[in-house]
Amino acid sequence: MSDGIQQLKDLQPTKEFFVGIDSDGCVFDSMEIKHKECFTPEFIYHFGMQPVSKYAREAWDFVNLYSKTRGCNRFLALLEVLKQLSERSDVKARNVTPPSLPGLRAWTEKESKLGNQALEEAAKSTQDEDLLKVLEWSNDVNKAVKRVVHGVPPFPGVLESLKKFEPQADMIVCSQTPTEALVREWDEHKIEGYVHMIAGQELGTKAQHLDYAAKGKFDANRCLMIGDAPGDMKAAKANGFLFFPIVPGKEEESWKNLHTEAIDKFFALEYEGAYEAQLIEAFEASLPEFPDWD
Ligand SMILES: [Mg+2]
């Protein structure tokens, strides 16, 4: 785990530009299948949400797919989903009290690498009931992803963009998915050769990945993060980097725009400013902050 962080820190520029790329929902059209077929069923089962499964599903989808928290870390997502469900009148009417998992909340507040491995270590050393329960859920999600998610190719336009970036930019994958799943997916579709490193949740937050890999090594206006979630943008901006949004629901259009226009602007140092701002505005308008139930 720490070896991976050191590897990121040791990366040395081989080209003039740097690009960080999110994976789920950005490169791969895998968000729907992962959440709907893997995360949600395991969430309902492990946290006793059977009596309110319809609302559990709506909340899971809202937090993870269709709102500003889209793409956030699974453990933070779990806390937010449980909070939304505990406030929802339909859930209260059925006398269901979703667990608040104070042990998990405490862990997320002090741990910077919110991955399965760190969770497993904390659960084993503390024997905290919440952590043990969440670990079981998280492990079952990983098993489900391994079983279910196959043959989901990159969005049209991804390969063309990777090829266009390659001569001038060092690239890394920057994700909150477990690294082993990322490696499997990038390898399955023969695109792992385009990136210098694949950084998953065990190596810290996306902002940390960008910091370790690129900050101070490249000029900030030569560093670009590509992602489909506000968290990707925050990670970019935390480092003073540029951001290119893959707009949820308009992914093909976004990749086409990147390939035919935005990459040229980035390499010409004309991306920063009005051009980036109008892309970000359209992106922000595409995701709501609050659910519309209650
Ligand atoms: Mg994503």
Side-chain angles (χ1 to χ4, degrees):
M1 175 172 66
S2 53
D3 288 357
I5 292 175
Q6 197 54 48
Q7 245 179 297
L8 272 176
K9 288 180 175 171
D10 289 345
L11 284 178
Q12 289 305 321
T14 68
K15 292 165 193 147
E16 272 187 64
F17 293 85
F18 171 85
V19 180
I21 311 170
D22 172 56
S23 192
D24 282 344
C26 176
V27 164
F28 293 106
D29 194 1
S30 54
M31 292 280 278
E32 293 273 328
I33 187 172
K34 277 191 186 175
H35 284 285
K36 293 185 174 169
E37 316 304 332
C38 306
F39 278 94
T40 307
E42 298 299 339
F43 168 61
I44 290 167
Y45 166 68
H46 281 275
F47 296 97
M49 295 292 109
Q50 292 89 338
V52 289
S53 68
K54 176 183 164 183
Y55 308 117
R57 181 170 287 278
E58 280 181 12
W60 192 272
D61 289 351
F62 182 78
V63 167
N64 291 286
L65 297 170
Y66 308 133
S67 71
K68 295 234 184 294
T69 47
R70 174 184 170 92
C72 83
N73 178 277
R74 65 175 65 180
F75 305 111
L76 300 175
L78 177 59
L79 290 169
E80 178 61 23
V81 168
L82 289 167
K83 178 175 155 278
Q84 289 191 8
L85 282 170
S86 68
E87 289 166 356
R88 185 167 178 169
S89 54
D90 302 296
V91 175
K92 289 180 189 162
R94 283 160 182 76
N95 289 318
V96 171
T97 307
S100 61
L101 304 179
L104 178 66
R105 187 169 296 281
W107 176 72
T108 60
E109 282 164 5
K110 62 172 195 257
E111 174 61 61
S112 67
K113 299 175 290 297
L114 298 178
N116 246 42
Q117 194 177 337
L119 177 67
E120 190 171 347
E121 285 163 17
K124 280 189 177 151
S125 68
T126 62
Q127 289 296 304
D128 181 279
E129 257 179 50
D130 290 349
L131 296 186
L132 290 165
K133 189 173 189 55
V134 172
L135 179 63
E136 262 184 49
W137 163 74
S138 188
N139 283 336
D140 280 353
V141 167
N142 289 352
K143 278 183 215 155
V145 168
K146 206 167 182 173
R147 190 177 69 243
V148 172
V149 183
H150 297 278
V152 179
F155 283 108
V158 169
L159 189 61
E160 292 86 338
S161 293
L162 293 175
K163 285 184 174 161
K164 191 163 177 176
F165 274 126
E166 199 188 23
Q168 294 187 69
D170 289 336
M171 293 181 267
I172 68 163
V173 177
C174 191
S175 166
Q176 283 296 288
T177 294
T179 305
E180 81 38 58
L182 292 167
V183 171
R184 189 167 64 239
E185 290 159 3
W186 280 69
D187 182 61
E188 182 187 351
H189 298 285
K190 308 267 176 286
I191 52 174
E192 84 285 5
Y194 290 97
V195 293
H196 286 231
M197 252 196 89
I198 294 181
Q201 59 179 209
E202 305 83 357
L203 307 190
T205 64
K206 295 177 187 181
Q208 288 171 325
H209 298 160
L210 296 177
D211 178 11
Y212 300 151
K215 201 168 182 183
K217 301 179 192 174
F218 300 82
D219 293 341
N221 67 346
R222 291 168 191 247
C223 295
L224 178 73
M225 171 76 188
I226 303 167
D228 64 297
D232 300 319
M233 182 167 70
K234 278 190 203 129
K237 295 305 161 192
N239 287 284
F241 294 178
L242 302 166
F243 178 65
F244 181 86
I246 300 298
V247 178
K250 294 187 177 166
E251 294 90 349
E252 285 191 50
E253 222 178 297
S254 301
W255 279 104
K256 189 174 175 209
N257 180 32
L258 179 65
H259 174 237
T260 57
E261 187 177 283
I263 295 178
D264 296 321
K265 290 201 180 279
F266 174 56
F267 285 155
L269 303 181
E270 291 167 0
Y271 187 84
E272 196 173 12
Y275 185 78
E276 182 190 33
Q278 47 101 13
L279 291 175
I280 287 178
E281 196 181 325
F283 171 61
E284 288 196 308
S286 73
L287 294 168
E289 187 165 3
F290 302 107
D292 60 4
W293 51 76
D294 280 348

